[in-house]
């Protein structure tokens, strides 16, 4: 039935042990206590894992689902924070039970704020546990994990910005699926955007353009179309695309930024994006230098009037390239 899939074989045997069909006798030998031919074998590894999770008690199920929201590696302290108060005291025994069932294992290699770490024995186990959660519960747990991180390791949040941003992003997307986006959901999106934006800016600074573009775009997607910050994030993303050599994608994104900025009468952003697009065209296609200088001079006059230093920096960089 396993067709060569070792995970299937392992989990099938573990399920037989859970159900008492296989057990050790006094001599330490495995013996069969039921007719194996009468058993129904799940048709796929996904169905098998779902069947195993369905056999768990309420406490074990709550613990493994909280762990699945956190990720492939999760922390005992976070689980104790996220589970209902009624089972908080038995999280430790539950984790040992899940380890005996070969669903999770203690992870000695991971250290975080003095917390015991555990990992899922396979990503498919984590996925099956995550899929078993109601969407509203997923959103609450994603948000709760970030609040736990912020409390237990405030001095290390810089390291975990991308992780915090991911969990808030998931909470936002799930809540947006479940109903109209209200002010509370918009604030949630704004929190996630700040984390992802900061991580994206640091990726830009270290020259990791693929990561920067992805993080900045995701941050922008968490903000409303009328949010001025969204345009700047997309502008930075376009510059990352340009650095990656994705000139057409960068040009298309810049056109989107310019159109949105003009619609909001955000002259500073529109002029800055125009400068970036002019830089892209001049770098890739060339052109009359006098025309470039004239366009830059016009932009500088507007940007100086609004005190937009980021735009001015780009303007003078372009003039440097021309000269």
């Amino acid at each position: 039935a396993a067709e060569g899939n070792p995970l299937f074989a392992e989990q099938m045997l573990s399920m037989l042990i859970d159900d008492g069909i296989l057990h050790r006798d006094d001599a330490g030998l495995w013996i069969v206590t039921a007719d194996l031919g009468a058993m129904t074998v799940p048709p796929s590894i996904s169905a098998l894992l779902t069947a195993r999770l369905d056999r768990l008690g309420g406490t074990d199920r709550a613990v493994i689902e909280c762990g699945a929201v956190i990720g492939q590696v999760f922390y005992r302290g976070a689980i104790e924070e996220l589970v209902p108060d009624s089972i908080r005291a038995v999280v430790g025994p539950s984790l040992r039970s899940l380890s005996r069932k070969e669903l999770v294992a203690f992870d000695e290699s991971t250290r975080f704020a003095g917390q015991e770490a555990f990992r899922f024995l396979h990503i498919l186990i984590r996925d099956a546990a995550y899929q078993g959660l109601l969407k509203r519960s997923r959103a609450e747990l994603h948000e709760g994990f970030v609040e736990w991180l912020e409390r237990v390791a405030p001095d290390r949040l810089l390291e975990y910005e991308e992780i915090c941003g991911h969990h808030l992003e998931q909470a936002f997307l799930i809540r947006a699926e479940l109903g109209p986006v209200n002010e509370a959901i918009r604030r949630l999106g704004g929190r996630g955007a700040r984390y992802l934006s900061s991580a994206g800016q640091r990726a830009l600074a270290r020259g990791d353009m693929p990561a920067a573009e992805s993080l900045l775009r995701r941050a922008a997607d968490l903000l409303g179309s009328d949010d001025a910050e969204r345009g700047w994030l997309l502008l930075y993303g376009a510059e990352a695309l340009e650095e990656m050599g994705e000139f057409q994608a960068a040009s298309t994104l810049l056109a989107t930024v310019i159109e949105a900025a003009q619609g909001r009468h955000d002259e500073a952003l529109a002029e800055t994006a125009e400068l970036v697009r002019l830089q892209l065209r001049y770098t890739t296609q060339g052109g009359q230098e006098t025309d470039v200088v004239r366009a830059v001079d016009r932009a500088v006059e507007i940007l100086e009037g609004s005190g937009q230093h980021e735009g001015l920096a780009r303007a003078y960089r372009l003039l440097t390239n021309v000269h």
Side-chain angles (χ1 to χ4, degrees):
E3 295 184 338
N5 184 334
L7 177 64
F8 195 115
E10 291 169 358
Q11 292 298 318
M12 191 70 200
L13 285 170
S14 294
M15 188 171 72
L16 294 176
I17 295 168
D18 291 345
D19 293 347
I21 296 172
L22 278 177
H23 74 90
R24 289 185 188 275
D25 63 13
D26 294 338
L29 301 175
W30 289 104
I31 60 172
V32 179
T33 62
D35 180 12
L36 292 178
M39 285 189 56
T40 300
V41 179
S44 67
I45 184 62
S46 177
L48 172 57
L49 293 174
T50 300
R52 289 212 66 204
L53 294 173
D54 287 343
R55 285 167 164 77
L56 295 176
T59 298
D60 286 355
R61 186 68 185 257
V63 168
I64 201 170
E65 286 176 345
C66 287
V69 169
I70 295 169
Q72 183 68 9
V73 174
F74 57 93
Y75 310 100
R76 175 174 171 171
I79 299 296
E80 291 172 339
E81 173 73 15
L82 297 176
V83 296
D85 294 342
S86 58
I87 65 174
R88 187 165 296 158
V90 294
V91 166
S94 176
L95 288 169
R96 289 192 290 273
S97 170
L98 293 169
S99 296
R100 287 194 300 272
K101 291 179 170 67
E102 296 191 333
L103 295 170
V104 305
F106 180 66
D107 190 345
E108 296 182 1
S109 64
T110 302
R111 294 286 181 270
F112 171 75
Q115 299 287 328
E116 284 186 335
F118 291 81
R119 61 179 173 82
F120 285 92
L121 287 181
H122 198 282
I123 187 65
L124 291 179
I125 300 173
R126 184 258 175 184
D127 290 347
Y130 187 80
Q131 292 301 321
L133 274 165
L134 295 174
K135 286 188 175 181
R136 190 171 301 279
S137 298
R138 292 182 203 170
E140 292 170 355
L141 291 171
H142 278 298
E143 192 173 355
F145 176 61
V146 174
E147 292 170 356
W148 176 81
L149 266 179
E150 291 173 335
R151 190 179 68 256
V152 301
D155 56 332
R156 296 184 61 185
L157 282 181
L158 195 64
E159 300 174 47
Y160 294 96
E161 283 182 328
E162 189 172 344
I163 292 174
C164 290
H166 162 75
H167 285 281
L168 293 173
E169 175 187 39
Q170 293 304 306
F172 172 85
L173 294 174
I174 292 169
R175 292 189 185 279
E177 285 181 13
L178 295 175
V181 177
N182 55 28
E183 184 59 31
I185 296 175
R186 280 191 285 271
R187 286 197 301 270
L188 179 63
R191 284 180 65 203
R194 284 191 293 274
Y195 275 118
L196 292 175
S197 170
S198 180
Q201 295 284 4
R202 289 192 295 110
L204 275 178
R206 67 176 181 265
D208 187 353
M209 297 305 163
E213 188 277 329
S214 174
L215 290 164
L216 293 167
R217 174 177 44 79
R218 288 164 56 198
D221 288 345
L222 296 180
L223 299 174
S225 58
D226 58 343
D227 194 310
E229 183 64 19
R230 173 183 168 84
W232 287 102
L233 292 173
L234 293 176
L235 174 65
Y236 303 145
E239 291 180 317
L241 286 169
E242 180 182 351
E243 290 290 334
M244 293 160 59
E246 300 288 344
F247 302 132
Q248 184 57 52
S251 180
T252 300
L253 187 54
L254 287 169
T256 301
V257 173
I258 292 166
E259 181 180 358
Q262 290 173 341
R264 293 196 315 274
H265 305 290
D266 188 343
E267 197 173 34
L269 175 58
E271 286 297 329
T272 302
E274 285 282 12
L275 283 169
V276 175
R277 185 161 65 174
L278 184 60
Q279 168 85 42
L280 175 61
R281 288 174 178 169
Y282 182 71
T283 302
T284 58
Q285 301 174 18
Q288 290 294 323
E289 294 175 351
T290 54
D291 293 339
V292 175
V293 172
R294 190 180 303 113
V296 172
D297 287 342
R298 183 184 64 82
V300 165
E301 184 176 349
I302 295 172
L303 294 168
E304 282 183 339
S306 61
Q308 180 33 255
H309 294 168
E310 284 201 41
L312 288 169
R314 288 165 172 79
Y316 289 123
R317 181 177 64 189
L318 180 51
L319 283 181
T320 301
N321 292 343
V322 169
H323 290 305

